[in-house]
Amino acid sequence: MPARSWLPLLAAVIIAAVCIRLGLWQLDRLDQRQERNATIAAAFRENPISAELAMRDSVARFRRVSVSGRWEYARETTVGGRTRNGSPGVHIVTPLILENETEVLVNRGWVYSPDARTIDLPRWHEEARAQLVGYVDELPTSLRESRAGSMYVVALADSTLAPSTVGDRPARLQAPAFTDEGPHLNYAVQWFSFAAIALIGTPLVVRRQRRRRE
């Protein structure tokens, strides 16, 4: 077989191998997403436990906890670059001193910021004390050095037990999604389709060209 016939076939095999590898990678990512979703779902099925108990037992990520204590507004900070419904903003993270005088960092929610960095923090102070339900999460990257070792709790929407007027506090965050599996299956199907096109289409083209030459 002349080189001009087998070179396209060799290229098709290489392309198909790459596409199949990418398809398998997407299926692996789908498995990871499904495992994550199962972990979140299992954690949210459990009743909330106290933050004190969660800290003592080093509970897993996404476990729901109840926290009660006083806000330490003097040491709160923000996490920039957070969007909500397409609008730029920040998350406000405020230390909460528990009844046993230990501290947890609480993400109180989202606030609009035109530059997604700066806000008037005192404008968003709530009552002095709080009782709410949230879930344990990993510290944001920007806080991992300065607040290493701190428990980080994301306050859930509609979780506050104290009366509050809409608009006078940060917008609480929703629970993390545990049903969305992402686009990984669709991507995998696309990559496998490309592999099939390369393996089936290329020989047909080569065969047709050879017949034309003959």
Side-chain angles (χ1 to χ4, degrees), residues 18-213:
V18 172
C19 291
I20 290 173
R21 180 66 188 88
L22 291 171
L24 293 174
W25 173 61
Q26 288 295 337
L27 290 179
D28 183 61
R29 294 194 64 189
L30 176 61
D31 288 340
Q32 294 175 11
R33 176 66 72 90
Q34 290 173 336
E35 290 178 4
R36 175 183 179 275
N37 290 347
T39 299
I40 297 174
F44 270 75
R45 280 195 296 268
E46 299 290 338
N47 292 326
I49 61 174
S50 69
E52 292 87 347
L53 180 60
M55 295 173 72
R56 187 192 69 188
D57 295 345
S58 300
V59 300
R61 187 183 181 192
F62 302 123
R63 186 69 163 85
R64 286 193 302 160
V65 295
S66 60
V67 294
S68 177
R70 66 182 187 277
W71 294 116
E72 189 75 11
Y73 291 117
R75 295 191 295 114
E76 67 182 349
T77 186
T78 60
V79 179
R82 297 297 188 263
T83 60
R84 183 171 184 265
N85 298 328
S87 299
V90 301
H91 287 174
I92 300 179
V93 179
T94 307
L96 185 72
I97 309 302
L98 305 178
E99 304 301 334
N100 63 0
E101 295 301 315
T102 57
E103 175 187 292
V104 297
L105 295 179
V106 178
N107 183 330
R108 293 197 291 124
W110 178 92
V111 169
Y112 173 74
S113 169
D115 62 1
R117 289 188 302 111
T118 56
I119 59 168
D120 178 18
L121 278 171
R123 158 71 177 82
W124 299 101
H125 287 176
E126 304 176 45
E127 59 276 4
R129 300 187 63 83
Q131 187 177 13
L132 53 85
V133 172
Y135 66 92
V136 177
D137 204 353
E138 295 178 345
L139 275 171
T141 303
S142 60
L143 300 180
R144 288 177 185 173
E145 183 175 348
S146 60
R147 306 295 178 94
S150 299
M151 172 175 279
Y152 178 68
V153 175
V154 178
L156 287 168
D158 302 324
S159 66
T160 183
L161 302 180
S164 179
T165 304
V166 175
D168 67 352
R169 72 176 191 188
R172 300 287 198 245
L173 304 183
Q174 298 293 328
F178 49 86
T179 56
D180 179 20
E181 295 184 348
H184 305 300
L185 181 59
N186 290 335
Y187 289 160
V189 171
Q190 289 178 4
W191 285 119
F192 291 143
S193 298
F194 294 154
I197 291 172
L199 291 176
I200 298 174
T202 303
L204 293 176
V205 172
V206 171
R207 185 177 179 182
R208 181 178 299 175
Q209 291 177 344
R210 187 171 59 185
R211 286 181 176 177
R212 287 179 179 177
R213 288 194 300 268

